[in-house]
Amino acid sequence: MRSPTPPAPAGPDPARRGLLRRGSAHLGFARPALTCLGAAGLGVMLGGCVLDGGNPVREAAKAAGIAPPPATAPDFVARSRREGGDFLPVGVSAPPRAIRAKSAAGVKDLEADLDASRQRNEARGRDAAKAGGTTQAR
């Protein structure tokens, strides 16, 4: 015995009702998938606006008055900052430094002082190693 054929759905065909688009029906996509794809594309386009320095969500929150107030720097941070800490404009030279570089003679004097200090520290280390080696553990 043959099984009966299922009854036809009541109402118009889903493809004709607009639940499936004709172009996407061939690929198997439904309308929600296309809507998500469109939303993702819109998000990518609006994401480019964020790179311009403006944040549309933050600006809308500020305009509505629901954004938190901007954070102020703690006192110790504000005291440690120098005056005029902005960047120099393009094409403007930095002011001359108050400290000049050492001359060749000054560099040689500094090297001699550092070498003498290193030799003193090495001698102290040798003396400490000898003193540590002569003690006996109890």
Side-chain angles (χ1 to χ4, degrees), residues 11-110:
D13 184 27
R16 291 187 181 173
R17 284 191 309 195
L19 294 177
L20 294 175
R21 295 182 184 210
R22 290 187 186 268
S24 62
H26 298 293
L27 299 174
F29 293 118
R31 178 176 276 170
L34 292 176
T35 304
C36 291
L37 184 64
L42 182 64
V44 168
M45 288 189 307
L46 288 178
C49 295
V50 173
L51 297 177
D52 293 337
N55 187 340
V57 176
R58 183 181 308 138
E59 298 300 324
K62 283 182 187 178
I66 58 174
T72 57
D75 292 337
F76 71 93
V77 173
R79 286 191 310 261
S80 67
R81 291 181 179 159
R82 291 183 281 167
E83 293 296 322
D86 296 334
F87 292 103
L88 291 175
V90 175
V92 175
S93 298
R97 295 179 182 234
I99 301 173
R100 295 285 177 195
K102 290 191 178 290
S103 64
V107 171
K108 287 186 180 186
D109 290 341
L110 179 61

